[in-house]
């Protein structure tokens, strides 16, 4: 996006919304919502503040759009393995392996934008933090429904909470530098605990 190639509306002619969202997503992912200013965004995107507001509404709206973009393009919270698996252990193992690959990929930022996002923030951003908590709950509820293939509803909900806690913990450890191999030992222990005769929830 060339900031000197302007359209009549003040936005670069080469402005690509998806590309802008990807850039903003990586910035928020790496630095957090409060760590990225409007000035940072406009400088990186090569547009003016009025153009940013015209395209996305506000910084908060851009953050929401970036979160949705992340959910659409990231495979760190993929539960499709449950549709293919022949056992609970296989399904959970594949999901955790995919999650580890996502949070440690050298081509991406470390950790998970959703899991790690706005765990703590200023009171003026409490609404956004609540929205992120709802996104995390939505995934947990989706996972619980898939787990009902093998567990009754109360057990599935408890296991879903446990597994999301594991994935959130692995995301934080990935940000702290844990390797995929190190995180795999956690996944192996979780799967071992699901084998008949053992219980994790």
């Amino acid at each position: 996006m060339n900031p000197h190639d302007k359209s009549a509306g003040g936005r670069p002619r080469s402005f690509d919304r998806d590309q802008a969202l990807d850039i903003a997503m990586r910035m928020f992912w790496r630095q957090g919502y409060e760590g990225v200013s409007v000035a940072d965004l406009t400088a990186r995107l090569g547009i003016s503040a009025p153009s940013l507001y015209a395209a996305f509404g506000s910084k908060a709206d851009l953050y929401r759009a970036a979160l949705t973009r992340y959910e659409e393009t990231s495979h760190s919270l993929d539960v499709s393995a449950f549709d293919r698996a022949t056992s609970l252990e296989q399904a959970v193992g594949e999901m955790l392996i995919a999650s580890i690959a996502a949070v440690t990929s050298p081509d991406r930022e470390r950790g998970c934008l959703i899991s790690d996002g706005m765990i703590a923030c200023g009171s003026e951003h409490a609404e956004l933090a609540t929205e992120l908590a709802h996104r995390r709950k939505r995934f947990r509820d989706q996972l619980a429904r898939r787990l009902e293939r093998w567990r009754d509803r109360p057990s599935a909900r408890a296991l879903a909470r446990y597994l999301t806690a594991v994935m959130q913990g692995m995301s934080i450890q990935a940000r702290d530098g844990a390797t995929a191999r190190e995180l795999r030992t956690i996944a192996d222990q979780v799967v071992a605990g699901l084998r008949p005769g053992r219980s994790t929830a």
Side-chain angles (χ1 to χ4, degrees):
M1 289 178 285
N2 185 344
H4 302 295
D5 185 14
K6 301 290 185 180
S7 67
R11 197 184 302 170
R13 286 194 178 90
S14 57
F15 183 84
D16 183 311
R17 182 181 174 84
D18 286 342
Q19 182 185 5
L21 275 176
D22 286 339
I23 293 170
M25 178 182 72
R26 296 289 289 255
M27 293 176 70
F28 288 131
W29 194 350
R30 183 170 56 250
Q31 299 168 236
Y33 180 78
E34 294 180 329
V36 178
S37 68
V38 171
D40 294 331
L41 290 165
T42 55
R44 184 68 180 84
L45 298 178
I47 60 176
S48 66
S51 293
L52 184 145
Y53 297 135
F56 298 105
S58 68
K59 176 187 168 184
D61 288 334
L62 174 55
Y63 184 64
R64 293 182 180 100
L67 292 173
T68 299
R69 177 75 170 169
Y70 178 85
E71 289 177 326
E72 292 172 346
T73 60
S74 172
H75 301 290
S76 60
L77 297 181
D78 182 15
V79 294
S80 63
F82 284 72
D83 298 328
R84 305 185 303 267
T86 58
S87 69
L88 175 61
E89 301 98 285
Q90 179 189 354
V92 170
E94 289 186 10
M95 182 183 68
L96 293 180
I97 290 169
S99 180
I100 290 168
V103 299
T104 60
S105 171
D107 300 324
R108 298 154 48 97
E109 304 300 327
R110 283 262 170 164
C112 172
L113 179 61
I114 305 295
S115 292
D116 308 342
M118 300 188 77
I119 300 299
C121 66
S123 58
E124 67 272 24
H125 303 310
E127 182 178 349
L128 272 179
T130 298
E131 290 178 24
L132 253 175
H134 286 160
R135 288 176 188 259
R136 290 189 284 266
K137 182 179 183 299
R138 186 172 64 217
F139 168 75
R140 190 170 66 244
D141 290 344
Q142 179 187 8
L143 177 57
R145 287 192 295 271
R146 297 291 177 86
L147 288 167
E148 287 181 22
R149 179 177 172 186
W150 291 282
R151 298 283 180 93
D152 60 46
R153 180 165 297 180
S155 296
R157 291 177 67 84
L159 182 56
R161 187 172 291 277
Y162 167 69
L163 293 174
T164 52
V166 168
M167 287 187 285
Q168 286 174 315
M170 292 195 301
S171 177
I172 296 296
Q173 289 195 28
R175 282 187 178 269
D176 288 342
T179 65
R181 177 177 293 182
E182 290 169 335
L183 295 179
R184 179 64 183 267
T185 64
I186 298 173
D188 289 344
Q189 290 174 347
V190 170
V191 172
L194 294 173
R195 294 186 181 120
R198 302 186 64 177
S199 176
T200 58

